[in-house]
């Protein structure tokens, strides 16, 4: 994303819209500018603001004149009065920012809009996690903090040394150069995204170890890390996961359950 410097009238309306705080008004030039290193190409500013097509020179003159009279002329707060926000064509690796940050863009590795897969929400149909197994979703960067892949790689490398399997259809996994070491592609390490989700699977006995490693690494990262663990219940609706998480100090609650009614179950005991 860029701001057309010929059009911008420095009204500051776009500044609070940006979740990354990447937009600022440069006092020297009296124009809004985007810090390209912090911009995650989420398109919130471009999509979230109405556009007017006022003449920039005229608007600057009116604003300057009224300022002399100590009167402010401000457009409506959700409007860019001169349509100055200018999306750019994104090349690799910068396009990765948009794929992970703009929920309207599907990821080519999954075909799913946004940053993850269906995770275990449709496990009754996909059978991704079986009884005795635990599926993890580890989310980075939300709300409104973001993460660089360089930091995310600290987590993937630490987890890869444990007996886990990264979900191959997950967008982060698709950017790994080596699934066995958790190494991400070198050329994307400096890219920053609004958020990313890592998905992996293990057997229940390793759940405490994985929780501790995630907590240790999370403490070294300047972002927010959220973690979800799930398993498949037995025919009575019980699982070994709940007491296990309780012993680790987590309060367990049963959340969203998609029954998948009307579709053939993928596993015989569903
Ligand atoms: S809303 Fe438009 S005119 Fe106002 S500061 Fe932002 S880019 Fe410039
Ligand atoms: S595209 Fe997103 S991150 Fe970039 S300047 Fe606009 S709102 Fe901020």
């Amino acid at each position: 994303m860029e701001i057309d410097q010929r059009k911008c009238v420095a009204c500051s309306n776009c500044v609070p819209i940006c979740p990354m705080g990447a937009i600022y008004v440069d006092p020297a030039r009296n124009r809004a500018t985007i810090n390209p290193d912090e911009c995650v190409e989420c398109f919130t500013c471009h999509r979230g603001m109405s556009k007017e097509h006022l003449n920039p020179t005229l608007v600057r003159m009116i604003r300057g004149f009224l300022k002399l009279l100590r009167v402010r002329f401000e457009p409506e707060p959700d409007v860019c009065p001169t349509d100055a926000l200018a999306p750019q064509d994104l090349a690799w690796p910068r396009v990765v920012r948009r794929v992970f940050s703009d929920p309207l863009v599907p990821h080519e590795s999954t075909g799913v809009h946004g940053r993850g897969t269906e995770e275990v929400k449709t496990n009754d149909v996909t059978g991704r996690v079986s009884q005795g197994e635990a599926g993890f979703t580890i989310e980075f960067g939300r709300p409104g903090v973001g993460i660089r892949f360089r930091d995310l790689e600290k987590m993937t490398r630490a987890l890869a040394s444990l007996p886990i399997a990264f979900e191959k259809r997950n967008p982060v996994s698709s950017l790994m150069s080596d699934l066995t070491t958790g190494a991400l592609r070198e050329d994307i390490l400096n890219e920053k995204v609004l958020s990313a989700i890592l998905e992996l699977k293990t057997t229940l006995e390793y759940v405490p170890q994985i929780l501790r490693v995630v907590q240790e690494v999370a403490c070294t990262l300047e972002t927010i890390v959220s973690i979800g663990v799930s398993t498949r219940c037995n025919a009575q609706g019980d699982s070994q996961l709940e007491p296990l998480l309780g012993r680790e100090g987590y309060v367990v609650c049963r959340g969203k359950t998609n029954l998948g009614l009307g579709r053939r179950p993928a596993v015989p005991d569903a």
Side-chain angles (χ1 to χ4, degrees):
M1 189 66 65
E2 285 184 4
I3 291 176
D4 188 333
Q5 301 292 290
R6 294 163 303 173
K7 291 184 176 178
C8 178
V9 296
C11 69
S12 301
N13 275 0
C14 53
V15 173
I17 299 272
C18 175
M20 292 291 100
I23 309 178
Y24 62 98
V25 175
D26 183 340
R29 291 187 297 140
N30 199 28
R31 299 283 189 278
T33 307
I34 294 176
N35 178 346
D37 197 39
E38 289 298 316
C39 171
V40 295
E41 306 290 357
C42 66
F43 276 45
T44 303
C45 52
H46 186 255
R47 208 175 29 245
M49 301 187 78
S50 306
K51 285 118 191 148
E52 289 177 348
H53 300 272
L54 302 180
N55 181 302
T57 309
L58 188 63
V59 174
R60 281 189 207 112
M61 277 173 54
I62 294 171
R63 281 167 63 86
F65 175 69
L66 291 177
K67 197 173 170 187
L68 290 176
L69 303 176
R70 304 185 77 78
V71 177
R72 290 173 71 118
F73 163 72
E74 303 292 2
E76 291 295 310
D78 60 344
V79 170
C80 177
T82 52
D83 192 20
L85 290 152
Q88 306 295 300
D89 286 337
L90 302 175
W92 182 267
R94 191 163 179 95
V95 70
V96 171
R97 297 189 183 223
R98 185 160 187 219
V99 167
F100 277 82
S101 306
D102 183 344
L104 298 188
V105 175
H107 195 287
E108 63 181 21
S109 73
T110 60
V112 175
H113 289 74
R115 316 144 298 133
T117 69
E118 298 156 337
E119 303 159 9
V120 289
K121 296 180 193 118
T122 51
N123 195 57
D124 57 317
V125 176
T126 62
R128 193 186 283 187
V129 177
S130 308
Q131 285 184 35
E133 293 182 330
F136 280 80
T137 52
I138 307 169
E139 180 169 7
F140 305 80
R142 277 212 304 186
V145 182
I147 181 152
R148 271 181 216 281
F149 284 107
R150 189 178 305 287
D151 285 335
L152 205 159
E153 193 193 42
K154 292 178 189 168
M155 189 70 84
T156 53
R157 282 187 180 273
L159 289 168
S161 64
L162 303 173
I164 59 113
F166 292 115
E167 167 57 44
K168 289 193 177 129
R169 289 184 66 240
N170 173 274
V172 175
S173 303
S174 75
L175 294 173
M176 288 184 192
S177 54
D178 186 347
L179 281 169
T180 61
T181 64
L184 298 180
R185 290 177 55 143
E186 280 278 333
D187 52 357
I188 57 122
L189 290 181
N190 199 41
E191 299 305 324
K192 183 175 180 180
V193 296
L194 195 59
S195 62
I197 297 175
L198 190 61
E199 294 166 77
L200 57 96
K201 181 168 101 161
T202 187
T203 49
L204 285 176
E205 64 188 296
Y206 294 109
V207 168
Q209 197 178 351
I210 290 170
L211 289 172
R212 285 174 212 150
V213 168
V214 170
Q215 192 162 25
E216 273 169 31
V217 178
C219 288
T220 70
L221 305 180
E222 290 187 9
T223 190
I224 297 166
V225 179
S226 314
I227 187 165
V229 196
S230 50
T231 190
R232 187 178 189 89
C233 298
N234 62 22
Q236 287 71 46
D238 301 321
S239 86
Q240 296 302 310
L241 182 61
E242 283 158 299
L244 209 154
L245 291 176
R247 283 197 294 278
E248 291 298 307
Y250 291 90
V251 177
V252 180
C253 54
R254 293 203 175 192
K256 187 171 178 179
T257 306
N258 285 0
L259 294 175
L261 296 174
R263 301 177 71 176
R264 282 178 78 85
V267 289
D269 60 343

